[in-house]
Amino acid sequence: MGEAITRASEVIRRLMREARFGALATLEETGAPYASLVAVAPDETGAPGLLISRLARHTQNLARDSRASLLLAASGTDPLDSPRASLLGRVVPAAEGSSLRVRYLARHPNAAQYADFADFGFFTLELAEAHLVEGFGRIVTLPAKGLLTDWTGADEVRESVEGVVSHMNEDHADAIALYATRLLGEPEREGVAWRMIGLDPDGCELAGGDVVRRLDFPQRVTGRGAVRQVLVQLVTQAREKMP
């Protein structure tokens, strides 16, 4: 049972880190549910973040009742046999000083055109629990604890995220491409350049075109030196997989 829970937790965490869109369900004034398609991006803990207009119906619903559910799904040939998770919690304004804006725009660069409009704002889903369905008979509900990234003792990593991501994209694009194609099994697509868009003590996110992939680190890192060491370790592994 413990292994099943651990695996389910890993699937949910990956969905939260890789999803670019989801279905947001809010409550109408009448109590009826209202679902809408939204673009999403994880904050530094992995919790889903949103950039939504206060004029939108779902945002008006949230202003009355912040309870919500967000459905995230993995791509697959059969959607009903692919992992999907309903995340339950409350949608609240993103905390001041949050890195959500940077992470969101890295994943949805076109959103920079309207991110500063007066009616738009960044919000975060304060996760309470997640309900995972992976197919017939493979269903589990897990509390938020264990699904979010723990930054305890990793302040040095937090302070270096922007610099590491920028350095990797500017000077080590070849390594990032190897992470995606050799370690994550992504196909080499003409005209698609992979880039790093986020990093935390447990791993990093890579984006290529409209695809986002999560690369977990083999061990948790808490310092700049450890980050460099694990990135070198991973590129060595990737090169060993080259034909």
Side-chain angles (χ1 to χ4, degrees), residues 35-36 46 92 94 120 128 140 143 151 158 195 199 209 216 219 221 230 243:
S36 52
V92 299
F120 274 84
V140 65
W151 282 83
R158 188 193 305 274
R195 67 189 192 283
L199 182 141
D216 290 326
Q219 65 272 347
V221 296
V230 77

Side-chain angles (χ1 to χ4, degrees), residues 22-199:
L24 176 68
T26 56
L27 295 172
E28 297 272 82
E29 194 168 8
T30 62
Y34 172 77
S36 52
L37 181 67
V38 292
V40 298
D43 69 8
E44 62 184 20
T45 70
L50 310 168
L51 174 60
I52 50 180
S53 169
R54 292 177 176 82
L55 303 178
R57 187 165 175 169
H58 49 231
T59 315
Q60 294 174 17
N61 287 342
L62 292 168
R64 288 189 300 268
D65 190 331
S66 63
R67 290 178 297 172
S69 176
L70 180 68
L71 174 64
L72 304 179
S75 59
T77 54
D78 182 355
L80 294 181
D81 198 39
S82 299
R84 64 266 195 195
S86 293
L87 310 179
L88 289 76
R90 293 183 178 273
V91 175
V92 299
E96 187 174 349
S98 166
S99 64
L100 177 57
R101 178 190 175 90
V102 172
R103 292 172 180 268
Y104 188 98
L105 296 181
R107 188 168 302 221
H108 304 285
N110 290 339
Q113 301 175 36
Y114 53 83
D116 293 318
F117 286 5
D119 60 298
F120 274 84
F122 288 95
F123 292 76
T124 303
L125 176 68
E126 289 187 340
L127 187 63
E129 65 178 28
H131 182 72
L132 175 68
V133 179
E134 292 190 86
F136 183 76
R138 292 176 293 165
I139 302 171
V140 65
T141 299
L142 298 178
K145 184 178 180 180
L147 300 178
L148 301 176
T149 298
D150 180 9
W151 282 83
T152 303
D155 288 343
E156 197 172 288
V157 176
R158 188 193 305 274
E159 294 167 359
S160 63
V161 167
E162 186 176 347
V164 171
V165 170
S166 176
H167 172 67
M168 291 298 295
N169 287 330
E170 292 176 7
D171 298 332
H172 300 289
D174 56 338
I176 297 173
L178 287 174
Y179 296 155
T181 57
R182 303 302 174 185
L183 298 183
L184 296 174
E186 285 295 316
E188 296 183 16
R189 293 176 289 162
E190 186 176 354
V192 173
W194 286 90
R195 67 189 192 283
M196 186 176 290
I197 60 171
L199 182 141

Side-chain angles (χ1 to χ4, degrees), residues 191-230:
V192 173
W194 286 90
R195 67 189 192 283
M196 186 176 290
I197 60 171
L199 182 141
D200 57 73
D202 299 321
C204 60
E205 284 89 50
L206 313 176
D210 58 357
V211 175
V212 174
R213 293 299 312 273
R214 170 71 173 183
L215 177 63
D216 290 326
F217 293 156
Q219 65 272 347
R220 186 172 185 268
V221 296
T222 57
R224 294 185 187 89
V227 171
R228 181 184 182 282
Q229 183 177 10
V230 77

